[in-house]
Amino acid sequence: MYPAELVKPMREDLTKVGFEELHTAEAVETALAKPGTTLIVVNSVCGCAAANARPGARMSIQNAKRPTNLVTVFAGVDKEAVDKAREHMIPFPPSSPCMALFKDGELVHMLERHHIEGRPAEIIAENLVDAYNEYC
């Protein structure tokens, strides 16, 4: 587990723009039970999370259509919540960072680490915006 003071600014990258942190399996279940669309960002300390994933997620929510619910779990910190989120992302293998869009609790769009790593934040945002325009 990473120290809280290390991940605090990484968490705030998302919470300052409206993402809700989930720390337990129950919180993940509650979030996914809400009607509408839910974006789950599995946050990470890695460089591609800082350079690509978090900025891409932030940019994407500037779109006119966006998820009803924005939530995040932190790999290496919120183990119980991350494990529960990943259960809902099957058949995709665990990766972090990653982003999953759910509609009424059903997985409808997935961005795995290999879709994020090495791609500019603008491309990540564009991918998410396309999904929002289709499902939100």
Side-chain angles (χ1 to χ4, degrees):
M1 295 296 213
Y2 297 106
E5 60 275 4
L6 174 73
V7 300
K8 184 177 187 272
M10 298 173 206
R11 289 181 182 276
E12 290 172 349
D13 262 357
L14 296 175
T15 59
K16 70 182 177 188
V17 296
F19 282 80
E20 175 189 359
E21 288 183 304
L22 306 178
H23 303 285
T24 66
E26 293 78 22
V28 171
E29 291 294 346
T30 299
L32 290 175
K34 292 179 181 178
T37 50
T38 301
L39 177 66
I40 296 180
V41 175
V42 178
N43 203 346
S44 171
V45 298
C46 74
C48 64
N52 312 82
R54 291 190 301 266
R58 287 192 317 265
M59 284 184 235
S60 76
I61 62 173
Q62 302 307 309
N63 190 50
K65 287 186 176 181
R66 58 182 263 180
T68 313
N69 309 294
L70 302 169
V71 300
T72 182
V73 295
F74 208 107
V77 179
D78 302 318
K79 182 175 178 6
E80 181 185 329
V82 171
D83 288 349
K84 182 53 72 175
R86 287 178 172 159
E87 282 179 26
H88 289 277
M89 295 174 191
I90 292 173
F92 297 95
S95 68
S96 58
C98 70
M99 301 178 204
L101 182 66
F102 294 84
K103 183 169 186 171
D104 298 323
E106 179 186 339
L107 180 63
V108 293
H109 187 75
M110 184 75 186
L111 272 175
E112 298 174 83
R113 179 187 177 106
H114 69 90
H115 297 123
I116 295 167
E117 192 171 32
R119 290 181 173 75
E122 294 80 8
I123 298 297
I124 310 276
E126 184 178 305
N127 181 297
L128 291 170
V129 163
D130 288 345
Y132 302 164
N133 288 338
E134 182 174 350
Y135 297 107
C136 297

